[in-house]
Amino acid sequence: MKSNNIFKNKELNLIIQILNYQISPISEFKTLITNTVLKEDIDWNEFFRLVEFHKVYTHVYDVIKSFDCFPDEVIDKLKQINNRNIRKSLSITAELKSLNKLLGENNISFTVIKGQPLTQILYQNTYQRSSKDIDILVDRKDIRRTIINVFQNDYKPIKATNTKLETLMLFHHHAAFINIKTGVIVEVHWQVIKNEYLAPGFNKDILINTENIFIGNDKFNILSFDYNILYFIMHGAGHKWFRLFWLRDLAQFCNLDRFNIDEVLKIGQYYKVKDIVISSLCLCNEFFSIPSLQKLSSTNKSKRTLNLVKLYKKQIEYSKLKDSDSTYVDRIKMKYMDVKHSLLLKYSFKYSLDALRRQFISASDVELLPLPKKLFFLYYPLHWPLASIKWYKLRTKGKGQ
């Protein structure tokens, strides 16, 4: 058993211990948690901040409600958060079923990515994972019809969706809408991997590598298991695994009978993202001792995969502040880490060029200052001034000015 004192932050270590106990409820983990709570001076405000930031409140509550060492107010607060999450999950499930009917009536096929179906696969319920929206994938040829026919009545666009669709599709991979009546957000994706050169062919192949799942009496199209886990790994790695709930989900993926590490590595090799797969599995093993890495020889663990693991751990430890609390220097550091991470994910000239383009021309820049297509090159020198304006707006909004 690992000590799970991975970080200097004792509250973060406690959360990781709790997640480990949920995966493997052995007495050693229970003793470790009890000793940490009783002998360490836990800052419960920091504990709650991290639990909510990492979106693991359902997991944490499942464990600590049966422990005697936690203060009653801590358990009560987590119970309230957990109940709120269940109510939100129920509303998202209802929205998903309504959307299934609405898109079906318009003869639009779609695939649900992540969200409720993934929660059903991993935890046999629809509320264990925290979901804030619904993500659907629609064939690019059906995007305009989807937005015009479906999202013009009960929905309104949010964020960069206000940008002209043709422009948006050049610099983004989805459009976001909110249901005016229910408040549920739906993201319509035309591709799941922003950079086509990261996993060549993957965006096209997932349209046909699907399977069905039932939620209640409703049938939904989802990614087939191997494509689901590969997309999940690329999604988590793309976000630098900065939230623990993704890593907890990966551990759950690896615990399923259908998980086969050889198949995952094989498909990762096929799409030229094997280093991303290996670094993610190594990170998961370091936190939760899952999956077994006996089949990963030292030759597979390249310098790049080790550097990625270090970067992921640094990002998790950082547990970034809210945008409204970050300083300008914080934002520059985060941007530097984003660029470094993007270039570290894959060594490919075309991929690197597109990664840099996406780092310095964003959909939010286009939304803030729409320019004719012929002048798009101006977004490169304008990125930092536009980013500064967005940061200032977030700061003033966050401080109620």
Side-chain angles (χ1 to χ4, degrees):
M1 185 190 78
K2 296 180 180 180
S3 69
N4 296 111
N5 289 321
I6 299 173
F7 301 110
K8 294 180 180 178
N9 186 303
K10 55 184 179 294
E11 290 79 18
L12 186 56
N13 285 330
L14 176 58
I15 292 170
I16 294 169
Q17 291 167 10
I18 291 170
L19 296 179
N20 267 282
Y21 181 80
Q22 188 191 40
I23 295 170
S24 302
I26 57 177
S27 58
E28 288 86 353
F29 280 134
K30 187 170 186 178
T31 301
L32 183 62
I33 293 169
T34 302
N35 289 339
T36 300
V37 173
L38 296 179
K39 296 180 180 180
E40 298 285 349
D41 184 19
I42 299 296
D43 181 341
W44 294 111
N45 288 328
E46 174 67 1
F47 177 79
F48 276 116
R49 185 186 78 82
L50 291 172
V51 166
E52 293 203 69
F53 173 81
H54 289 288
K55 300 173 74 173
V56 290
Y57 28 80
T58 56
H59 300 298
V60 171
Y61 177 68
D62 272 356
V63 172
I64 73 168
K65 65 184 180 182
S66 62
F67 275 65
D68 297 327
C69 58
F70 287 88
D72 290 340
E73 56 269 25
V74 171
I75 297 176
D76 289 342
K77 186 172 181 178
L78 278 169
K79 182 179 180 180
Q80 292 174 17
I81 296 172
N82 189 61
N83 289 340
R84 189 165 63 241
N85 178 70
I86 291 174
R87 289 193 296 270
K88 185 177 181 181
S89 295
L90 288 172
S91 66
I92 290 177
T93 300
E95 182 79 19
L96 184 59
K97 292 185 176 185
S98 297
L99 197 61
N100 194 30
K101 180 181 179 182
L102 184 61
L103 288 167
E105 290 172 349
N106 285 274
N107 295 315
I108 295 172
S109 298
F110 70 99
T111 299
V112 186
I113 52 178
K114 301 180 297 178
Q116 312 298 84
L118 180 59
T119 310
Q120 183 76 35
I121 291 170
L122 295 180
Y123 303 103
Q124 291 75 57
N125 61 55
T126 59
Y127 55 82
Q128 189 71 47
R129 299 174 71 253
S130 173
S131 296
K132 67 176 183 178
D133 55 25
I134 295 171
D135 293 272
I136 63 172
L137 174 67
V138 177
D139 195 309
R140 185 179 284 264
K141 64 180 175 58
D142 293 327
I143 284 295
R144 180 175 294 280
R145 189 164 61 92
T146 302
I147 291 175
I148 292 175
N149 290 4
V150 179
F151 292 94
Q152 289 297 317
N153 297 318
D154 293 335
Y155 296 84
K156 68 176 182 179
I158 58 176
K159 296 182 179 179
T161 311
N162 292 315
T163 306
K164 189 177 179 181
L165 183 60
E166 288 78 6
T167 302
L168 180 67
M169 292 182 73
L170 282 173
F171 296 100
H172 221 36
H173 64 304
H174 72 269
F177 301 86
I178 185 168
N179 188 312
I180 301 170
K181 297 178 180 178
T182 65
V184 175
I185 295 172
V186 179
E187 292 188 353
V188 183
H189 294 250
W190 44 88
Q191 60 187 62
V192 294
I193 306 298
K194 290 189 237 181
N195 190 323
E196 291 280 1
Y197 302 106
L198 176 62
F202 186 80
N203 280 321
K204 181 180 179 181
D205 291 346
I206 59 172
L207 293 172
I208 57 174
N209 284 280
T210 60
E211 62 187 42
N212 296 133
I213 188 173
F214 280 88
I215 298 179
N217 294 322
D218 289 69
K219 183 171 71 173
F220 296 94
N221 204 40
I222 62 171
L223 300 181
S224 63
F225 186 81
D226 289 335
Y227 277 79
N228 213 332
I229 190 169
L230 182 61
Y231 166 65
F232 184 83
I233 286 173
M234 288 193 287
H235 176 264
H239 286 290
K240 301 187 289 295
W241 295 105
F242 73 83
R243 293 193 197 274
L244 282 174
F245 92 109
W246 288 321
L247 212 55
R248 173 64 183 88
D249 289 343
L250 181 56
Q252 193 72 9
F253 251 124
C254 297
N255 257 343
L256 296 178
D257 292 337
R258 294 179 70 183
F259 175 78
N260 184 318
I261 193 169
D262 290 328
E263 287 301 314
V264 175
L265 293 173
K266 181 179 178 181
I267 193 173
Q269 180 66 43
Y270 178 79
Y271 288 104
K272 299 180 172 60
V273 290
K274 192 174 180 179
D275 284 333
I276 296 175
V277 173
I278 292 173
S279 61
S280 299
L281 294 178
C282 286
L283 181 73
C284 188
N285 177 270
E286 190 164 338
F287 277 70
F288 304 121
S289 302
I290 300 171
S292 172
L293 300 181
Q294 293 179 351
K295 294 183 179 181
L296 292 182
S297 66
S298 57
T299 55
N300 283 326
K301 298 176 185 178
S302 65
K303 183 178 179 181
R304 177 148 54 109
T305 62
L306 296 176
N307 285 336
L308 281 169
V309 171
K310 289 179 182 178
L311 189 149
Y312 297 147
K313 289 174 64 178
K314 183 177 180 180
Q315 183 66 58
I316 292 170
E317 186 173 27
Y318 183 59
S319 297
K320 70 179 182 181
L321 299 171
K322 292 184 297 184
D323 288 328
S324 58
D325 292 332
S326 62
T327 67
Y328 193 72
V329 173
D330 288 332
R331 303 301 291 178
I332 292 176
K333 287 180 179 178
M334 288 170 61
K335 189 65 177 181
Y336 169 75
M337 189 177 290
D338 286 342
V339 173
K340 178 182 178 181
H341 172 252
S342 294
L343 297 179
L344 190 59
L345 277 179
K346 186 170 185 175
Y347 293 152
S348 162
F349 180 71
K350 289 183 178 180
Y351 163 77
S352 298
L353 280 182
D354 198 56
L356 289 172
R357 176 177 75 85
R358 292 178 183 280
Q359 285 292 343
F360 294 105
I361 302 181
S362 69
S364 54
D365 290 342
V366 177
E367 182 185 20
L368 187 62
L369 181 65
L371 291 174
K373 190 173 180 180
K374 292 181 179 179
L375 298 179
F376 275 2
F377 68 92
L378 291 176
Y379 284 117
Y380 287 99
L382 287 173
H383 176 76
W384 282 111
L386 293 174
S388 300
I389 293 171
K390 287 180 287 185
W391 168 80
Y392 179 75
K393 287 182 175 180
L394 287 168
R395 290 277 290 183
T396 53
K397 181 180 180 181
K399 298 186 181 302
Q401 297 179 4

